[in-house]
Amino acid sequence: MQTQPVLKAGVMGFPIKHSLSPRLHGYWLKHYGIPGSYKAFEVKPQELAGALQGLKDNGLTGVNLTIPHKVAAFAIVNEIDGISRRVGAINLVTVNADGQLLGRNTDAYGFEQNLLSHGYARQGGRAFVLGAGGACRAVLVALQNMGFDEILLSNRTAAHAKRLANELSMANRKISPVEWEKAPALEDVDLLVNTTSLGMTGQPELDISLESLPFSATVTDIVYAPLETGLLRRAHERGNKTIDGLGMLLHQARPSFEAFFGINPEVTDELRRFVLAERN
Ligand code: ATR
């Protein structure tokens, strides 16, 4: 009797204890009946190059990367696609037949897929983005990819928003820095996105006024703990459509699972409940 090879993958980080990825990929492996494994590997920064270069010898099809390796891996992999270059961080490394390491970022994909899966299919329009940290880059690249005509970027430290806008603006997909205000000008905004850490468990709430936001606008937060941030609650209470951040986390994992195990997995309500049960 022939047995199927066991495909091996995992996530590298430091620390790694709190990663949700083993639970998430483990769920899909079981759900699809795939004889594979997905493990958490504690890899210190000085060990990263060796760990990635040793993927093939250790029988791994690839790995995800988390803090603090997402930027450092740029200098280690052999190839990076254009979108991932723009995002400036790598969260997926796969090995090809020649042993070359291919780096990718799937966060922009995850953000876009989360919106699409909630029926957000508007073409063009104006997006207003709060924050200018690491997570914001993937959101900006996704919004450009989705075809927004105008992207406004507001951050507490104006210099960070300016720098990001300069770096990522494209001729027909401009990013315009605007001032950080308690009552921002949200007229004509179709999509409002929080990429700051405000609203996260243990952090202060994002307390900007939504007064000028059209009721037709959608509001989304990349924070997913809690699932309903203060911003989403206030937006929901005034009648705006809201999309929580858990979907981005789940959708960004899909291309990784497909690269490791050959199946493009589904994000379902059951999966959401399964992942949330771990957190609570
Ligand atoms: P990440 O990589 O997760 O995006 P980060 O790079 O630390 O995290 O970015 C955090 C974001 O939240 C930044 O935009 C930060 O604003 P600054 O650039 O001014 O630091 C924003 N942020 C954090 N605390 C904030 C606060 N109390 N008020 C407003 N913005 C805040």
Side-chain angles (χ1 to χ4, degrees), residues 9 14 21 35 46 65 68 73 96 101 126 135 139 142 150 180 184 187 190 193 218-219 232 238 240 246 263 274:
F14 186 77
S21 297
Q46 64 274 24
L65 299 178
N96 72 11
L101 297 173
R126 175 185 285 182
V139 169
E150 210 182 346
W180 178 263
E187 290 85 4
D190 298 295
V193 190
T218 295
V219 181
L232 293 185
R238 69 194 289 283
N240 289 95
L246 181 62
I263 283 181
F274 179 79

Side-chain angles (χ1 to χ4, degrees), residues 83-105:
I83 289 249
S84 308
R85 249 176 223 293
R86 286 177 60 69
V87 175
I90 294 169
N91 64 346
L92 166 63
V93 177
T94 50
V95 197
N96 72 11
D98 307 327
Q100 299 279 101
L101 297 173
L102 174 66
R104 274 173 73 185
N105 184 294

Side-chain angles (χ1 to χ4, degrees), residues 130-136 155-158 160 180 195-198 203-204 222:
L130 298 152
C136 182
N155 189 55
R156 174 181 62 179
T157 309
H160 295 167
W180 178 263
T195 76
T196 74
S197 45
L198 296 174
Q203 297 281 328
I222 68 164

Side-chain angles (χ1 to χ4, degrees), residues 157-230:
T157 309
H160 295 167
K162 268 200 196 122
R163 198 170 56 207
L164 212 50
N166 279 341
E167 193 189 332
L168 293 178
S169 275
M170 297 193 292
N172 56 346
R173 296 278 176 257
K174 200 166 170 297
I175 298 167
S176 311
V178 295
E179 233 174 278
W180 178 263
E181 287 175 289
K182 275 250 176 250
L186 300 174
E187 290 85 4
D188 299 323
V189 165
D190 298 295
L191 180 71
L192 175 67
V193 190
N194 175 44
T195 76
T196 74
S197 45
L198 296 174
M200 200 184 279
T201 309
Q203 297 281 328
E205 286 292 352
L206 175 63
D207 62 354
I208 60 156
S209 163
L210 298 180
E211 207 168 317
S212 61
L213 184 71
F215 292 111
S216 58
T218 295
V219 181
T220 187
D221 205 319
I222 68 164
V223 170
Y224 60 87
L227 208 50
E228 187 178 53
T229 57

Side-chain angles (χ1 to χ4, degrees), residues 11-68:
V11 55
M12 294 179 173
F14 186 77
I16 193 64
K17 268 210 307 283
H18 300 293
S19 173
L20 278 174
S21 297
R23 185 167 171 86
L24 179 52
H25 287 268
Y27 172 93
W28 279 328
L29 283 171
K30 199 164 163 213
H31 182 79
Y32 293 103
I34 297 171
S37 74
Y38 185 101
K39 291 198 176 123
F41 301 109
E42 188 180 271
V43 173
K44 296 194 176 94
Q46 64 274 24
E47 298 165 348
L48 182 66
L52 290 179
Q53 279 146 9
L55 284 180
K56 199 172 179 200
D57 288 346
N58 288 313
L60 287 144
T61 56
V63 280
N64 288 122
L65 299 178
T66 185
I67 290 168

